[in-house]
Amino acid sequence: RQQLISPKSVSYTVKEISLEDRLLELRSRFISLPDFFSFTELLSDCDTKSKLVVTFLALLDLARQQKIWLEIDQKDEIWIKKGKGENGY
């Protein structure tokens, strides 16, 4: 019979980012972006899937607040349009 080998212990570090923190990061990035830009332009600093998901949720929150508008083109690309005035960027 083969002896059971105990599993090796593996550890990893997960860097979590809150929705509020990501909103702050995005707001500062919006300053340097044009008034109309693609979602993929925001993904340059997304090194994990969780950061990508938080970025998308942050965009949905900004759209809910009407600070940005989201559009999807015929190629299924998401486009972001900055809002104007006191509620926008």
Side-chain angles (χ1 to χ4, degrees):
R1 293 188 169 226
Q2 191 178 33
Q3 279 187 332
L4 293 176
I5 301 171
S6 61
K8 294 182 180 180
S9 103
V10 176
S11 65
Y12 60 93
T13 304
V14 176
K15 182 180 176 186
E16 293 183 13
I17 182 167
S18 70
L19 182 61
E20 292 80 17
D21 290 342
R22 189 60 178 156
L23 281 167
L24 290 173
E25 289 176 7
L26 290 176
R27 285 181 180 135
S28 67
R29 288 193 59 199
F30 282 176
I31 295 168
S32 63
L33 290 169
D35 287 343
F36 195 66
F37 57 94
S38 72
F39 177 62
T40 54
E41 291 180 59
L42 291 180
L43 302 182
S44 62
D45 66 339
C46 291
D47 49 0
T48 63
K49 287 181 185 179
S50 60
K51 192 167 186 181
L52 183 142
V53 170
V54 172
T55 300
F56 185 71
L57 292 174
L59 288 177
L60 291 177
D61 190 51
L62 290 171
R64 179 186 60 81
Q65 297 173 35
Q66 296 183 348
K67 294 187 176 188
I68 62 168
W69 283 264
L70 301 174
E71 295 180 18
I72 300 176
D73 67 12
Q74 295 174 350
K75 297 179 183 178
D76 293 332
E77 176 74 31
I78 299 172
W79 291 88
I80 298 125
K81 183 178 180 182
K82 294 183 196 178
K84 300 287 183 194
E86 66 182 56
N87 291 333
Y89 293 99

